[in-house]
Amino acid sequence: MNDISPPAISLPFTEQLAAFYAYMRSEKQFSSHTQSNYARDLEKFQQFCMQKSLIALPDLGVNHVRMAVAHLHREGLGGKSLQRWLSSLRSFFQFCVKHGWMKNNIADGISAPKAPKMLPKTLDADQAAQFVQIEGDEFINKRDRALVELIYSSGLRLAEVVSLNLVDIDWSDSMLTVTGKGKKTRILPIGSYAISALKDWLVERKQYTQDNEQALFTTQRGGRISHRAVQMRMQQLSIQQGMDNPVHPHMLRHSFASHMLESSGDLRLVQELLGHSNISTTQIYTHLDFQHLARVYDQAHPRATRKTKNEEE
């Protein structure tokens, strides 16, 4: 989408929104996806204002934004979506303040309800071993074995493993150069099982790939494998390998992080390996680690029988 326009029907402050959309498009040069998100968020607020007969920007106050947040929350909008919605409003109101259409940014200081913290699903060590032990000597078997071994060995994101090239592997030191989010590169170790699977795969790869193809993981047609193809193969492998639940690429990455933290206890190390710019992102794995420790404690300690909250009630 190259152009964002206010809705055709008459809604409040459409002229100001038209100017804001033009500003996003020309000066800020936001992507069409970002522009669409802003448009959807701001239209929600327009609809709310129309229902409350709030037509002009100067009529709006902090209480109206709070009411809109509560309304959208009741409608089922989650904490993260509301945070993004408020961010869109702040940007628009700041634009309006700059142009003298409003005296102050009425969305400043308003926060969305906290989203419940969802712990990532992981495999335990035995389940991970079961998933990556792919049997067979066909092209697809060797490629998939190398692919999942490498994701689990080095904690890669889906986009990272798909974008890998042959030159990214340092075979002498068993290291891998990865380009992650924000085009930041990091160097990661590759485990022995993954190295063995990769070497086996590269022999097979030569039979299907032209010499000038740089992609590490390819299809039988010789081109770079796509994100969707990896996702579909992992869905199929989940059934083939007898997993209880579907395994997706990020679950292997989460499992890598959880297992590394359980073994090393070094949060900074895990942060570096995962390529997280902020350690708070990595800290979610400490919750997984504590859950694991609690289970082990309950099973191992002779006086560890503890009542759960439900039992106490």
Side-chain angles (χ1 to χ4, degrees), residues 210-226:
Q210 298 293 325
D211 290 341
N212 60 353
E213 176 56 64
Q214 293 301 306
L216 176 60
F217 292 109
T218 58
T219 66
Q220 285 182 297
R221 294 182 178 180
R224 186 183 297 274
I225 196 170
S226 68

Side-chain angles (χ1 to χ4, degrees), residues 262 289-301 304 306:
E262 287 174 10
D289 190 30
F290 292 149
Q291 289 178 348
H292 167 76
L293 291 175
R295 286 196 302 270
V296 172
Y297 178 86
D298 285 342
Q299 293 168 6
H301 198 286
R306 298 173 296 142

Side-chain angles (χ1 to χ4, degrees), residues 249-294:
H250 228 59
M251 188 183 291
L252 279 184
R253 175 173 158 88
H254 290 320
S255 301
F256 160 83
S258 179
H259 299 163
M260 285 296 300
L261 188 58
E262 287 174 10
S263 299
S264 70
D266 191 332
L267 192 63
R268 287 288 181 186
L269 168 68
V270 177
Q271 178 191 5
E272 290 294 324
L273 292 172
L274 292 175
H276 288 161
S277 56
N278 194 322
I279 198 167
S280 63
T281 309
T282 319
Q283 282 174 330
I284 190 169
Y285 296 106
T286 62
H287 297 285
L288 297 171
D289 190 30
F290 292 149
Q291 289 178 348
H292 167 76
L293 291 175

Side-chain angles (χ1 to χ4, degrees), residues 52-71:
K52 301 296 182 183
S53 301
L54 300 167
I55 305 303
L57 285 169
D59 297 336
L60 302 179
V62 174
N63 61 314
H64 296 125
V65 178
R66 294 189 190 279
M67 289 168 59
V69 169
H71 170 75

Side-chain angles (χ1 to χ4, degrees), residues 121-123 127 131 231-240 242-252 255:
K121 294 181 179 179
T122 63
L123 305 171
Q127 291 171 327
F131 183 73
Q231 291 168 332
M232 289 180 65
R233 282 302 302 150
M234 289 190 67
Q235 288 176 2
Q236 294 164 359
L237 285 170
S238 299
I239 299 171
Q240 176 186 310
M243 308 306 293
D244 294 333
N245 297 296
V247 178
H248 50 78
H250 228 59
M251 188 183 291
L252 279 184
S255 301

Side-chain angles (χ1 to χ4, degrees), residues 102-286:
M102 300 179 74
K103 290 183 179 180
N104 59 295
N105 191 331
I106 58 174
D108 276 349
I110 297 179
S111 57
K114 287 187 176 181
K117 183 174 287 187
M118 301 296 289
L119 297 180
K121 294 181 179 179
T122 63
L123 305 171
D124 63 31
D126 291 337
Q127 291 171 327
Q130 175 184 338
F131 183 73
V132 300
Q133 286 175 358
I134 300 169
E135 302 294 335
D137 294 321
E138 301 297 321
F139 172 95
I140 199 165
N141 306 131
K142 293 184 177 182
R143 185 201 62 198
D144 290 353
R145 185 161 56 243
L147 183 72
V148 298
E149 281 280 11
L150 187 59
I151 293 174
Y152 178 53
S153 168
S154 303
L156 304 180
R157 300 179 177 97
L158 173 59
E160 292 171 347
V161 74
V162 167
S163 64
L164 286 174
N165 293 322
L166 295 171
V167 296
D168 293 328
I169 299 179
D170 181 347
W171 296 100
S172 60
D173 289 333
S174 296
M175 301 295 284
L176 179 70
T177 301
V178 176
T179 302
K181 289 185 177 180
K183 296 185 177 179
K184 294 180 180 178
T185 60
R186 64 188 191 280
I187 299 176
L188 303 171
I190 309 173
S192 59
Y193 286 94
I195 284 288
S196 177
L198 283 166
K199 288 180 177 178
D200 199 26
W201 152 242
L202 289 184
V203 173
E204 188 73 18
R205 177 187 176 280
K206 288 181 180 178
Q207 302 178 41
Y208 294 85
T209 310
Q210 298 293 325
D211 290 341
N212 60 353
E213 176 56 64
Q214 293 301 306
L216 176 60
F217 292 109
T218 58
T219 66
Q220 285 182 297
R221 294 182 178 180
R224 186 183 297 274
I225 196 170
S226 68
H227 292 60
R228 182 59 183 152
V230 174
Q231 291 168 332
M232 289 180 65
R233 282 302 302 150
M234 289 190 67
Q235 288 176 2
Q236 294 164 359
L237 285 170
S238 299
I239 299 171
Q240 176 186 310
Q241 299 299 95
M243 308 306 293
D244 294 333
N245 297 296
V247 178
H248 50 78
H250 228 59
M251 188 183 291
L252 279 184
R253 175 173 158 88
H254 290 320
S255 301
F256 160 83
S258 179
H259 299 163
M260 285 296 300
L261 188 58
E262 287 174 10
S263 299
S264 70
D266 191 332
L267 192 63
R268 287 288 181 186
L269 168 68
V270 177
Q271 178 191 5
E272 290 294 324
L273 292 172
L274 292 175
H276 288 161
S277 56
N278 194 322
I279 198 167
S280 63
T281 309
T282 319
Q283 282 174 330
I284 190 169
Y285 296 106
T286 62

Side-chain angles (χ1 to χ4, degrees), residues 20-54:
F20 180 64
Y21 294 151
Y23 166 75
M24 286 195 298
R25 189 169 53 249
S26 58
E27 292 190 39
K28 300 297 288 184
Q29 296 185 341
F30 286 159
S31 69
S32 58
H33 177 70
T34 301
Q35 292 179 52
S36 297
N37 287 339
Y38 271 93
R40 280 193 297 270
D41 291 341
L42 293 169
E43 186 177 343
K44 283 187 178 76
F45 189 64
Q46 279 187 295
Q47 296 285 357
F48 172 82
C49 289
M50 187 169 66
Q51 292 170 9
K52 301 296 182 183
S53 301
L54 300 167

